[in-house]
Amino acid sequence: MEKSLSRTILLQPFWRSTRNRFFPPGAFPLRTAAALLFGLVICLALYLVGVRVVGYFHRQSELGIILSLKIFQMAWITVFAMLVFSCMVSAVSTLFLSQDNEIIFSAPVPADRLFFMRYITTTIYTSWMMVAFSLPIFAAYGRVFDAGPLYWPLMFLAVTATAAIATGFGTTATVLLVNLFPARRTKDIILYLSLCFGIFIYLMFRLIRPEDLVNPDKYSQFLDYLAAISNPAAPYVPAAWAANLLSLYLLDRQVDWLLVGLLATTPLVFFFAGEWAMQRWFFSGYSKSQESFGGYRQFHGPTRYRPSAWRWIFRKEAKTFLRDSAEWSQLFMIGALIVVYLYNFKVLPLDRSPIREEYIANLIAFLNIGLTGFVVASLAARFVYPSIGGEGGAFYLVQAAPLSMGRYLLYKYIFYVLPFTALSVLLLAASNHLLKIEGPMWWISLASGLLLTWTLVAMALGFGAIHADFKAENRAAALGGIGAILFLFTAIAFELVIILLAGRPAYRLVTANLHGQTLQTGDLIGLAAWIGGSLATATAFSLIILKKGIMKLEEVA
Amino acid sequence: MSLINSGKNMRQPTGEQPAGEKEQTAAGRTAIQIEHLTKRFGDFKAVDDVSLTIKTGEIFGFLGPNGAGKTTTIKMLAGLLKPDHGRILLNGVDLAADPLACKQITGYIPDRPYLYEKLTGIEFLQFIASLYQLAPATFSANADHLLQLFGLADWRRHLIESYSHGMRQKLIMASVLMLEQPLIVVDEPMIGLDPKSARLVKELFRSRARQGVTIFLSTHSLEIAEELCDRIAIIVNGRIRTVGDLAALRKEARLEHSDLEEIFLELTGAYEVQEVVAALRK
C-alpha cells in the first residue's frame, strides 16, 4: 500500500493551484505575461549593471580581476547561507505547521512521501528569488570574462544545485534539530536554528578570511597571494564548490569534474537523508508542533484599556511578531546581514585603489544607496508584504469594524516604516562613516536612502494589499505569489529610476565640493529637478499603489 | 432615535431592561431594510433580488439549504461584501453610502472563529473594543462579566492559539456582546458550542432582544430557529422562498401540525430527501 503511492501525487494541489493562479482557465494569462516581461526587463537591467561593474574591475590591474572573483565567491557563500537559514525557517512552517498536515497525515501516506512534497515546495518558495536575480549577475561574469560555451550549462548546474543543496540541507537539518534539541515545542526550535545560523555565518567567514584576501601585504610575494586566491575557498561548503568551479572555468577554461560530480550528487544525498530522517522523526516533531507556543503560560500586559485604534493595531502587530518565534528569530538573520554588510565596507582596500580615494569612496557611497534599497526591498518583501494577507481569516474583524481601509493601511505603514527607517539610517550612516564620507554625499545618500525606504515600505504594503492571500498556508508561501514577484520587480525598477535621476546632480555636487568650486546655475536647476523629480516619482509610486491596495481591500470578500 | 444615538444609548452599562420597555422605545421601528439585493459570482447568482424588512428588537432567522446564499447575504449585511444591485439600510442609513456609521452599530459573528492567534483573550477584547471606540467604563463593565459568563475568565491571559474551537467561538460572541451593538448579525451561532454554552447564548440573545437589540441570524439548526426566532425567512437558490412566523410558514407549506423540519423540507423542495428518509425508516 505504502510503496504504491506515487511521489508526485501529493504535489498535485500545489501544481494545480499554481497553474490556476498563474494561468487561470479560460483566459489569457495577461498578468502572468506582464510579470514575466517585467521580470525579463529587470533581469536585463541587472545583467547590464553587472557587466559594467564587473567590467570596471576587470579593466583594472590583475588585482581587480582577483577581487572581482573573490566578491563572486563571497556572494555565492553569503547567498547560500541566507538560503539555508530561510529554508530552515520556512521548513518549520511547511513541514510541521501546515494546515493540510491534518488531512495528509491522517491518510495512509508515508512520511517520506510527505517529505518529497514539502522539499519541492520549500525549494521553490525559498530559492526562486535567488535563482532569478543571481543568474543575470553570474551571466555578466561570463560575458566580461568572455567565457567559453561550457560556462552556461555549468552556471545553470551550479545555481540549481546550490539551491537544491541549501534546501536539502535546511529541511533535513530542521527535521533532525526539531528532535535533537531540548525545545519543548516545535515552534521554539527556530530560536535554536537562529543560533546555529549565527555560528554557521561566523565559521564561514573565518574559513574564507576575506580580510586577508584583500590585503596582499600579508603575503611575502604576490605569487603567494595569487595562490591563496586561487585555492578553493572553504572546501567543505557546497556554495564554494559552485564558486570555485565557475571561477576556475572563467580564468583557465578548465572544468573540475570532481566539483561537477559533487554538485550533482550532493542534492540527492541530502534528499534521501531527509526522507530517512522524516520517516524516523516526523511524527514526534509534528505531535509537539500542535502544542501552543504559550502553552499554559499566562501573558501579563497592561490591564488598563484605552480606546485607541492605532495604539491597538500597533500593539497587535508587535505582539504577533514578538510572540511568533518564526518571525522574531529572523532578527538574527537581519543582525547577521548588517554585520556582513558593514564588514564588507570595513575591509575595502580603498587606499590601494588606482583612483583618488575620495572619488572611489564617494562612488561607493553612491552605489551603496542602491544596495541599502535592495536590502530594504528584500526585508519589506519578507515582513511588510505578507502583513495584510498574514491577518488570515481574522481580517474580517477589521473589515467589519468602523475603521476605514485607508486609516488601517496608514497605521500599518507607520508601524513598519519606523523600524525600516532606523535600519536604513543605520546602514547608510555606518557605511558612510566607514568610508569616511563627509559633505554633500553624506546628505545625498541619507536623503535618497530614506526616500527609497519610505517608498519601498509603502509599495510593499500596497502590493501586499492588492495581492493579499488570506488563505495562504504561511507567510513564506505568500512570497511565491505573483504579487511578491511584481513588488520586487517594481521596487528594483523604482530604485534604478531614483539612482539614475541622482547620478548627474550628485556627481556635480560632489566634484564641486571636492574642488572647492561653486555650483553653476545649470547645476542648481539640475539639482532642483532631481529633488523635485525624485519626490514626485516616489509620491506617485506610493500613492498609486496604496490607493489600489485600499480599493482592493474594500471590495475583497 | 438616530442611528448613532441608538449606538450610544446601547453603550450605557445598564442592567437588564424590563420586557415591556422594548415596546415603548422601539416598537414598529425598522432596524434592517434590504431592498432587491443581488450578488453574482461570475455567472452564478448567489443572491437574487432579496428584499426583507426586520423590526427593531426582532430575532430574525435566516434558513436555507447549503449554498442557498445565507452567508453571502450575511456578509453583505456586515459590510464585508459589495452587492451588485439593491441596497441595505441599517437604522435608516444606507450601508453603501456610509459604511463606517453602519459598522459602528453592527456586531458580526462569523461561522468560523478566525482570531489573532498570538493575542491573549483579554488582549483580543481590548483590540476589538478599540476598533469600535468603546468607552472604558463600558469595557470594564462588560469584558470581565462576559468572560466569566462564558467560562473563559481563567483563560483570559492565555494565547488564543491554545483555545479550543468552542472557546474561540465563545470569545467572538463575548467580543460582540461586549460592544452592546443595537444590531447583531450572526452566521451559524451555535457551531462548536457545548450544550451549556448554546443555552447561554440563546438566553443572552433573548435578553438582548428584549432590550431592543435586533438579531439577524442564519442557522442550519431548525430547533434553534423554532425556539429563538420571532420570524423566519427561507432562502433557496438565492431567492426568498417565504417569510413569516412559524404559523405563517405552516400555512404556506400546508402542514398545519408539523414541526419546522418538515416545513423546511417541504418549502425547500427537498422531496428526494423525504423519500430517502421514508425508505430508510422502512
Side-chain angles (χ1 to χ4, degrees):
Chain A
M1 173 76 193
E2 285 189 5
K3 290 295 161 197
S4 64
L5 190 76
S6 149
R7 268 186 212 282
T8 53
I9 197 144
L10 291 180
L11 276 173
Q12 281 191 10
F14 172 75
W15 290 135
R16 289 188 182 188
S17 48
T18 306
R19 190 189 61 192
N20 293 339
R21 185 193 275 181
F22 290 102
F23 303 97
F28 180 75
L30 198 67
R31 276 169 54 184
T32 309
L36 216 67
L37 191 71
F38 195 19
L40 283 174
V41 172
I42 296 291
C43 285
L44 188 69
L46 282 175
Y47 171 75
L48 294 174
V49 171
V51 167
R52 279 200 79 137
V53 175
V54 179
Y56 172 78
F57 277 104
H58 204 257
R59 282 193 301 276
Q60 308 303 314
S61 60
E62 209 160 346
L63 188 66
I65 298 175
I66 290 162
L67 270 182
S68 74
L69 284 178
K70 210 61 225 171
I71 292 171
F72 184 69
Q73 288 180 347
M74 282 173 66
W76 272 97
I77 292 172
T78 311
V79 162
F80 178 73
M82 294 292 172
L83 260 185
V84 168
F85 181 71
S86 72
C87 170
M88 281 171 137
V89 172
S90 295
V92 173
S93 305
T94 52
L95 281 170
F96 295 102
L97 308 176
S98 283
Q99 287 167 12
D100 57 356
N101 268 350
E102 272 190 26
I103 303 169
I104 297 171
F105 202 59
S106 62
V109 174
D112 58 341
R113 295 295 186 264
L114 187 59
F115 180 80
F116 177 75
M117 186 264 273
R118 299 293 187 216
Y119 171 73
I120 297 288
T121 50
T122 310
T123 304
I124 292 170
Y125 287 144
T126 52
S127 62
W128 74 263
M129 216 192 296
M130 173 275 210
V131 172
F133 291 132
S134 64
L135 278 175
I137 302 290
F138 297 142
Y141 272 91
R143 164 85 189 276
V144 172
F145 280 80
D146 198 17
L150 266 183
Y151 178 75
W152 310 104
L154 283 178
M155 180 183 81
F156 183 75
L157 168 80
V159 170
T160 46
T162 305
I165 293 170
T167 39
F169 175 75
T171 38
T172 308
T174 305
V175 178
L176 281 173
L177 288 171
V178 161
N179 286 279
L180 290 179
F181 275 91
R184 226 180 73 70
R185 296 170 200 93
T186 307
K187 289 168 193 172
D188 298 343
I189 196 69
I190 297 172
L191 170 64
Y192 296 96
L193 295 184
S194 311
L195 292 177
C196 288
F197 178 70
I199 297 165
F200 182 62
I201 283 275
Y202 174 79
L203 285 177
M204 198 108 76
F205 272 81
R206 286 301 82 208
L207 283 169
I208 312 171
R209 302 181 75 80
E211 70 278 19
D212 290 353
L213 291 164
V214 292
N215 185 10
D217 304 343
K218 195 173 179 294
Y219 298 88
S220 54
Q221 288 189 343
F222 193 66
L223 276 180
D224 291 345
Y225 178 59
L226 277 182
I229 289 274
S230 53
N231 269 348
Y236 304 111
V237 181
W241 303 338
N244 292 334
L245 172 74
L246 294 179
S247 310
L248 187 68
Y249 188 77
L250 283 174
L251 275 179
D252 303 334
R253 301 282 182 282
Q254 282 178 14
V255 179
D256 187 334
W257 291 107
L258 175 66
L259 291 179
V260 172
L262 278 172
L263 281 172
T265 51
T266 312
L268 294 174
V269 171
F270 277 122
F271 171 73
F272 287 113
E275 271 201 347
W276 179 79
M278 187 86 166
Q279 269 174 327
R280 218 179 145 98
W281 289 304
F282 173 71
F283 182 50
S284 63
Y286 176 55
S287 183
K288 277 200 281 179
S289 73
Q290 290 169 70
E291 293 177 35
S292 154
F293 158 70
Y296 291 101
R297 205 175 119 204
Q298 296 202 16
F299 289 81
H300 292 274
T303 45
R304 206 171 138 233
Y305 157 73
R306 276 195 280 182
S308 160
W310 72 263
R311 197 189 299 266
W312 261 101
I313 286 179
F314 272 38
R315 238 183 235 178
K316 193 255 306 168
E317 292 290 316
K319 281 171 192 284
T320 304
F321 181 81
L322 294 172
R323 286 173 183 171
D324 190 345
S325 48
E327 291 295 309
W328 63 257
S329 60
Q330 297 197 43
L331 293 176
F332 286 92
M333 188 177 79
I334 299 170
L337 189 75
I338 293 171
V339 171
V340 171
Y341 187 98
L342 295 177
Y343 185 79
N344 285 333
F345 285 98
K346 192 172 183 305
V347 299
L348 276 175
L350 297 183
D351 47 337
R352 280 187 293 281
S353 158
I355 313 169
R356 208 174 126 189
E357 194 178 336
E358 288 89 353
Y359 285 158
I360 189 92
N362 273 292
L363 175 67
I364 293 173
F366 182 69
L367 292 176
N368 183 39
I369 303 168
L371 202 57
T372 308
F374 190 72
V375 170
V376 167
S378 326
L379 293 176
R382 175 61 192 83
F383 293 104
V384 185
Y385 175 80
S387 74
I388 308 276
E391 301 254 348
F395 187 64
Y396 84 87
L397 292 162
V398 177
Q399 284 181 300
L403 179 75
S404 71
M405 281 303 151
R407 199 157 276 276
Y408 164 72
L409 277 192
L410 176 71
Y411 295 156
K412 278 238 178 194
Y413 178 72
I414 297 171
F415 178 82
Y416 284 104
V417 88
L418 295 175
F420 272 84
T421 303
L423 174 76
S424 57
V425 168
L426 171 74
L427 290 180
L428 290 165
S431 46
N432 282 349
H433 173 73
L434 292 170
L435 290 166
K436 300 191 188 76
I437 295 292
E438 283 168 356
M441 185 46 79
W442 204 93
W443 293 104
I444 290 170
S445 75
L446 193 71
S448 309
L450 284 178
L451 192 68
L452 276 178
T453 304
W454 296 337
T455 314
L456 291 175
V457 172
M459 279 162 59
L461 205 57
F463 273 105
I466 297 166
H467 299 276
D469 183 359
F470 296 104
K471 291 171 185 162
E473 271 285 306
N474 50 57
R475 287 189 174 213
L479 291 179
I482 199 158
I485 301 170
L486 281 176
F487 162 64
L488 279 166
F489 289 166
T490 316
I492 291 172
F494 171 72
E495 273 191 47
L496 288 174
V497 168
I498 293 293
I499 303 269
L500 288 176
L501 277 177
R504 176 130 194 101
Y507 172 76
R508 292 295 307 143
L509 259 177
V510 171
T511 46
N513 180 60
L514 287 177
H515 297 290
Q517 300 163 340
T518 48
L519 287 174
Q520 307 289 313
T521 318
D523 295 333
L524 288 172
I525 294 170
L527 194 67
W530 163 55
I531 294 171
S534 305
L535 282 175
T537 316
T539 314
F541 263 90
S542 310
L543 289 183
I544 292 170
I545 296 167
L546 277 176
K547 181 83 189 152
K548 284 196 96 169
I550 292 169
M551 281 162 64
K552 184 76 187 178
L553 288 182
E554 277 171 351
E555 70 187 38
V556 82
Chain B
M1 188 163 60
S2 79
L3 180 142
I4 297 296
N5 280 344
S6 84
K8 280 186 181 159
N9 289 342
M10 287 306 302
R11 282 173 207 290
Q12 301 308 315
T14 54
E16 300 291 298
Q17 260 179 301
E21 204 170 308
K22 170 181 154 185
E23 281 89 309
Q24 288 166 17
T25 57
R29 252 176 238 285
T30 299
I32 302 172
Q33 176 101 32
I34 298 173
E35 295 172 2
H36 307 292
L37 201 64
T38 303
K39 180 73 190 173
R40 282 173 178 278
F41 296 112
D43 295 334
F44 175 68
K45 219 178 220 180
V47 174
D48 186 6
D49 197 28
V50 165
S51 295
L52 291 168
T53 303
I54 294 128
K55 299 262 177 280
T56 301
E58 192 174 6
I59 301 182
F60 189 86
F62 202 46
L63 265 67
N66 293 332
K70 297 190 297 294
T71 298
T72 306
T73 309
I74 286 228
K75 280 189 167 179
M76 287 193 276
L77 212 47
L80 301 179
L81 203 55
K82 211 180 238 175
D84 293 332
H85 296 291
R87 64 174 190 160
I88 298 168
L89 300 174
L90 301 180
N91 277 7
V93 175
D94 191 334
L95 179 61
D98 196 350
L100 295 189
C102 289
K103 287 173 181 181
Q104 186 66 55
I105 55 158
T106 311
Y108 167 59
I109 301 170
D111 57 342
R112 278 179 286 181
Y114 287 118
L115 297 163
Y116 294 108
E117 304 279 313
K118 299 291 176 188
L119 295 186
T120 63
I122 189 73
E123 285 169 352
F124 175 75
L125 293 186
Q126 288 180 334
F127 173 69
I128 294 297
S130 69
L131 288 182
Y132 288 80
Q133 299 286 300
L134 189 68
T138 316
F139 178 81
S140 328
N142 290 348
D144 284 339
H145 171 66
L146 284 162
L147 286 175
Q148 203 81 45
L149 213 57
F150 280 112
L152 294 172
D154 291 341
W155 289 84
R156 65 207 299 272
R157 297 205 179 282
H158 289 79
L159 294 189
I160 292 171
E161 67 179 12
S162 62
Y163 285 23
S164 70
H165 182 93
M167 287 162 78
R168 286 158 192 249
Q169 192 69 15
K170 287 193 275 187
L171 187 64
I172 291 185
M173 294 264 181
S175 74
V176 168
L177 293 171
M178 158 193 85
L179 297 171
E180 299 192 340
Q181 302 295 64
L183 193 68
I184 296 176
V185 178
V186 202
D187 199 359
E188 298 293 349
M190 305 306 173
I191 285 185
L193 294 185
D194 57 56
K196 187 180 137 198
S197 307
R199 176 72 186 265
L200 178 68
V201 168
K202 279 187 257 179
E203 285 309 319
L204 279 168
F205 281 176
R206 276 199 200 105
S207 137
R208 290 292 164 105
R210 279 199 299 273
Q211 292 171 31
V213 172
T214 310
I215 298 169
F216 185 101
L217 64 89
S218 90
T219 180
H220 280 120
S221 165
L222 301 173
E223 182 203 334
I224 288 164
E226 200 165 359
E227 203 180 327
L228 209 55
C229 299
D230 298 320
R231 280 191 311 145
I232 291 162
I234 293 178
I235 182 169
V236 183
N237 296 330
R239 295 184 75 94
I240 297 292
R241 172 72 180 79
T242 186
V243 190
D245 58 15
L246 204 53
L249 296 190
R250 278 197 188 108
K251 212 169 165 187
E252 169 90 16
R254 296 194 189 89
L255 294 166
E256 296 295 322
H257 302 290
S258 303
D259 61 11
L260 188 57
E261 184 177 311
E262 283 178 42
I263 297 170
F264 178 82
L265 292 174
E266 178 66 29
L267 291 177
T268 54
Y271 308 111
E272 328 80 61
V273 176
Q274 291 177 22
E275 283 165 17
V276 171
V277 169
L280 286 171
R281 278 181 184 161
K282 276 177 196 166

